[in-house]
């Protein structure tokens, strides 16, 4: 018999957690705002794609840069951060059986974020902020644009403070025992990085706002240095949140185990200490910073953050393997993977997120962050190829997978169009993989990023690319359209499920339109000793290392050709 929930709470039938009503409502609100932002950013992505595809070249130059600005802000800031705010409420109030520390302030912070996002969107679509995502000085937007960014950031910072306040409330009221769960620890990591990131945002956007009002001057070089402590570090919040989601989805879908909590927590701590240093790789060609500073930040410090990602990249799939083997899937090297629930959109999204993030985003990130190699990669399509593999194929896909569990557990609705939901991660992941690889490949030919017309028509000089570039860009576009179709399915399924979907019977998770991890939860691991060995994962690790070595060597070879060596 299930114990009655305290006033203002309900008992989750899958996890047994006490879900606070205010936390639940805030998760819903932030998730809806994230989905709306994804829709806006997705439409902008298709328009940008059809312009970069030289055979179509849809938009004129003015609208291209406008829509590119919309795409960057809507996806990298609004979609991601709204979703991460939902994760913070889940990882604090829900996982710790606690109430939200300050409910009214939490709703005020959400309202501030929405107001800021609407203000920024309005200015971008009105053509008063054609400054791209980076908004480098001396490019100047209307002051309302900078004000909107500041309001959004303040709202997000308040939510982060409420997250820490909720942790204190949970500790004082003893709503949990022992240490906080690993998912919560990962969220704490993301929140600490967020404080550092938003602090840098205030340090640069407030002066820029005053500059837009004509009240002060802003040095362009100093702007770039401080802004990238915001721009790149904000994506490291994504990494910490994404890894937390990997651990959560592993537990929900197949009952994954955590190999060693101390090691996983140490890896999260390495993110806090070193990952912000990686921002320096955006400044490797800037003359204002000395070589010692550049090399120190993009090698010794950055490698410690890379080590953290490699630890998680091993422990998450190894935890999946150990959990599967403990439940009887022990034949051969990969039975645990072959017989995994690939029809569960949460599981497939998690696996594709790990693979593309690691094999494409991780390898290219470390390579392009090397000072010498960066000189042939900087400001080419290789850079957006990298971050589409990390932020989109990694973070966004992980968040999509989590959504298929949030809808029934938090919104208490069945997933609409479930057959489409099952194929959505496949469509999105394969499309983004092709898109990222082809974009990176085009960059090796020197195709520039951000430029409206790669033929430079009307310019006083002629730029001739290898004829293969047109083929590569065409394949890139097809991959992007495939990913856009996957993103469209996700939005359709999410919106229809939330607003028009069938409500689940109270306390029941049975019937159609639910992922297997909820209908038939993973069986408890039988009592007794079980091997912690993960031979299949170890093989995959060596495949990853071989791919990394090969790509790193190829880039040094390309660099030597530039230097006319050998």
């Amino acid at each position: 018999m299930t114990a009655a929930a305290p006033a203002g709470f309900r008992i989750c039938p899958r996890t047994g957690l006490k879900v606070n009503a205010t936390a639940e409502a805030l998760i819903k609100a932030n998730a809806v705002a994230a989905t709306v932002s994804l829709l806006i950013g997705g439409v902008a992505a298709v328009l940008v794609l059809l312009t970069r595809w030289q055979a179509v070249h849809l938009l004129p130059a003015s609208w291209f840069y406008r829509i590119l600005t919309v795409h960057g802000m809507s996806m990298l800031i609004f979609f991601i951060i709204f979703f991460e705010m939902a994760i913070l409420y889940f990882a604090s109030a829900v996982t710790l059986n606690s109430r939200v520390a300050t409910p009214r302030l939490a709703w005020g912070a959400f309202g501030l974020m929405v107001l800021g996002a609407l203000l920024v969107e309005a200015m971008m679509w009105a053509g008063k902020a054609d400054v791209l995502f980076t908004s480098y000085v001396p490019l100047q937007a209307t002051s309302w644009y900078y004000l909107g960014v500041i309001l959004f950031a303040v709202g997000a910072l308040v939510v982060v403070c409420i997250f820490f306040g909720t942790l204190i409330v949970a500790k004082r009221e003893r709503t949990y025992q022992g240490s906080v769960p690993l998912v919560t620890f990962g969220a704490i990591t993301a929140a600490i990085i967020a404080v550092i990131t938003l602090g840098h945002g205030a340090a640069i956007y407030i002066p820029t706002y005053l500059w837009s009002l004509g009240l002060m001057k802003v040095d362009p070089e100093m702007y770039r240095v401080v802004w990238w402590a915001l721009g790149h570090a904000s994506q490291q919040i994504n990494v910490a949140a994404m890894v937390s989601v990997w651990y959560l989805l592993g537990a929900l879908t197949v009952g994954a185990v955590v190999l060693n909590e101390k090691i996983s927590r140490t890896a999260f701590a390495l993110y806090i200490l070193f990952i912000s240093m990686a921002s320096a790789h955006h400044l490797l060609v800037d003359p204002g910073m000395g070589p010692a500073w550049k090399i120190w930040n993009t090698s010794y410090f950055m490698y410690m953050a890379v080590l953290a990602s490699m630890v998680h990249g091993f422990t998450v799939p190894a935890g999946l393997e150990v959990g599967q083997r403990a439940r009887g899937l022990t034949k051969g090297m990969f039975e645990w993977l072959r017989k995994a629930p690939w029809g569960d959109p949460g599981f497939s999204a998690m696996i594709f997120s790990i693979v593309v993030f690691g094999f494409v985003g991780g390898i290219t990130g470390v390579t392009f962050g090397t000072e010498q190699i960066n000189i042939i990669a900087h400001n080419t399509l290789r850079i957006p190829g990298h971050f589409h593999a990390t932020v989109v194929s990694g973070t966004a896909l992980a968040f999509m997978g989590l959504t298929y569990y949030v809808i029934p557990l938090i919104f208490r609705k069945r997933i609409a169009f479930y057959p489409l939901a099952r194929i959505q991660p496949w469509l999105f992941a394969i499309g983004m993989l092709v898109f990222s690889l082809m974009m990176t490949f085009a960059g090796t030919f020197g195709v520039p990023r951000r430029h409206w017309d790669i033929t430079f028509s009307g310019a006083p000089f002629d730029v001739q690319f290898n004829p293969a570039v047109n083929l590569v860009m065409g394949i890139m576009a097809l991959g992007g359209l495939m990913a856009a179709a996957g993103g469209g399915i996700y939005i359709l399924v999410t919106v229809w499920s939330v607003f028009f979907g069938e409500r689940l019977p109270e306390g029941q998770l049975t019937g159609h339109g639910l992922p297997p991890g909820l209908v038939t939860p993973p069986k408890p691991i039988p009592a007794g000793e079980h091997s912690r060995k993960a031979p299949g994962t170890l093989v995959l690790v060596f495949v990853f290392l071989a791919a990394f070595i090969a790509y790193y060597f190829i880039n040094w070879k390309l660099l030597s050709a530039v230097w006319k060596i050998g």
Side-chain angles (χ1 to χ4, degrees):
M1 184 175 179
T2 305
F9 289 80
R10 67 175 179 85
I11 303 295
C12 174
R14 167 66 173 85
T15 63
L17 294 171
K18 299 172 184 176
V19 182
N20 176 255
T22 302
E24 186 174 46
L26 286 164
I27 292 171
K28 291 178 179 179
N30 280 279
V32 169
T35 304
V36 173
S37 301
L38 178 64
L39 175 61
I40 296 170
V43 171
V46 173
L47 295 175
V48 169
L49 175 66
L50 293 178
T51 305
R52 290 309 305 256
W53 189 4
Q54 205 65 34
V56 178
H57 212 49
L58 179 66
L59 299 175
S62 59
W63 270 98
F64 171 76
Y65 293 111
R66 186 168 304 158
I67 296 301
L68 185 56
T69 306
V70 171
H71 173 59
M73 291 298 294
S74 299
M75 291 296 217
L76 288 172
I77 299 297
F78 302 145
F79 161 61
I80 292 289
I81 293 182
F82 271 124
F83 205 104
E84 285 166 351
M85 298 300 102
I87 289 174
L88 290 184
Y89 286 118
F90 176 84
S92 56
V94 176
T95 60
L96 301 181
N97 304 299
S98 175
R99 60 184 175 85
V100 175
T102 55
R104 291 184 179 179
L105 186 59
W107 283 111
F110 174 73
L112 204 59
M113 291 177 67
V114 170
L115 177 61
L118 290 175
L119 191 55
V120 171
E121 291 285 354
M123 293 303 102
M124 291 189 298
W125 285 100
K128 296 181 180 180
D130 297 342
V131 292
L132 302 185
F133 173 62
T134 49
S135 57
Y136 285 147
V137 172
L139 291 176
Q140 189 176 83
T142 174
S143 58
W144 292 104
Y145 170 83
Y146 301 113
L147 180 60
V149 173
I150 292 169
L151 292 176
F152 183 87
V154 169
L157 185 58
V158 171
V159 174
V160 172
C161 293
I162 293 170
F163 167 77
F164 288 123
T166 302
L167 296 181
I168 293 171
V169 167
K171 184 72 173 178
R172 285 181 176 176
E173 298 182 357
R174 300 181 180 180
T175 60
Y176 68 96
Q177 295 179 344
S179 302
V180 296
L182 186 58
V183 172
T184 303
F185 191 87
I188 292 171
T189 301
I192 293 172
I193 298 172
V195 172
I196 300 168
T197 301
L198 294 170
H200 284 95
I204 197 59
Y205 269 111
I206 292 174
T208 308
Y209 172 63
L210 297 175
W211 167 70
S212 69
L213 294 173
L215 299 177
M216 65 177 292
K217 294 182 179 180
V218 175
D219 177 69
E221 179 65 29
M222 186 52 64
Y223 177 92
R224 286 171 61 85
V225 172
V226 180
W227 191 91
W228 276 113
L230 160 73
H232 192 269
S234 65
Q235 308 319 310
Q236 309 318 319
I237 306 170
N238 304 343
V239 173
M242 173 190 68
V243 173
S244 301
V245 170
W246 288 351
Y247 283 111
L248 177 60
L249 284 174
L252 289 172
T253 56
V254 297
V257 301
V258 178
L259 293 186
N260 188 307
E261 285 231 7
K262 289 183 179 178
I263 291 177
S264 294
R265 290 172 189 254
T266 301
F268 275 122
L270 288 176
Y271 279 154
I272 297 171
L273 295 174
F274 298 108
I275 204 162
S276 295
M277 307 299 178
S279 303
H281 80 258
H282 291 279
L283 306 168
L284 286 176
V285 299
D286 282 35
M289 313 306 294
W293 181 87
K294 293 176 181 178
I295 293 172
W296 182 264
N297 282 281
T298 57
S299 55
Y300 305 108
F301 278 168
M302 191 176 80
Y303 294 158
M304 296 303 292
V306 172
L307 173 63
S309 290
M310 293 180 73
V311 167
H312 292 305
F314 172 75
T315 57
V316 173
L320 298 174
E321 179 177 359
V322 170
Q324 291 280 75
R325 287 182 179 276
R327 293 176 176 86
L329 300 178
T330 57
K331 293 181 182 178
M333 197 73 73
F334 293 109
E335 185 191 24
W336 64 275
L337 193 57
R338 288 196 313 272
K339 293 188 177 180
W342 289 100
D344 183 338
F347 179 84
S348 59
M350 172 188 62
I351 293 295
F352 289 138
S353 171
I354 295 170
V355 170
V356 182
F357 178 86
F359 276 83
V360 183
I363 290 175
T364 57
V366 174
T367 304
F368 300 161
T370 304
E371 185 184 23
Q372 296 91 334
I373 295 173
N374 184 269
I375 201 71
I376 60 173
H378 194 79
N379 276 341
T380 70
L381 273 184
R382 300 173 81 181
I383 304 304
H386 154 70
F387 63 68
H388 277 83
T390 54
V391 181
V392 186
S393 301
T395 304
L397 191 54
F399 289 177
M400 289 175 177
L402 181 61
T403 302
Y404 295 117
Y405 280 79
V406 168
I407 289 172
L409 290 177
I410 300 299
F411 287 90
R412 287 178 278 176
K413 297 287 189 73
R414 296 191 187 279
I415 298 172
F417 311 113
Y418 191 69
L420 283 178
R422 293 180 62 183
I423 67 169
Q424 183 272 324
W426 293 79
L427 198 62
F428 188 82
I430 294 171
M432 281 310 306
L433 178 61
V434 171
F435 178 80
S436 299
L437 288 175
M438 291 301 103
M439 185 176 272
T440 303
F441 194 36
T444 62
F445 289 101
V447 176
R449 63 181 293 199
R450 294 175 170 163
H451 205 281
W452 167 69
D453 181 8
I454 66 172
T455 66
F456 295 91
S457 59
F461 47 82
D462 185 36
V463 178
Q464 293 292 335
F465 288 111
N466 188 300
V469 165
N470 289 329
L471 174 62
V472 171
M473 295 292 284
I475 299 174
M476 179 197 81
L478 294 177
L481 291 174
M482 183 177 178
I489 291 173
Y490 169 79
I491 292 171
L492 171 65
V493 169
T494 301
V495 171
W496 197 277
S497 300
V498 169
F499 292 104
F500 311 108
E502 179 185 346
R503 191 162 188 83
L504 286 166
E506 191 65 33
Q508 295 185 31
L509 291 171
T510 56
H512 65 280
L514 294 174
L518 296 182
V519 178
T520 54
K523 297 178 181 179
I525 296 177
E529 292 293 322
H530 297 284
S531 173
R532 291 269 170 170
K533 295 180 180 179
T537 303
L538 198 59
V539 169
L540 296 176
V541 166
F542 282 113
V543 171
F544 168 81
L545 291 175
F548 175 53
I549 292 168
Y551 189 75
Y552 202 64
F553 171 79
I554 289 170
N555 275 271
W556 279 104
K557 181 64 177 175
L558 291 172
L559 183 61
S560 72
V562 174
W563 286 344
K564 304 298 181 185
I565 296 174

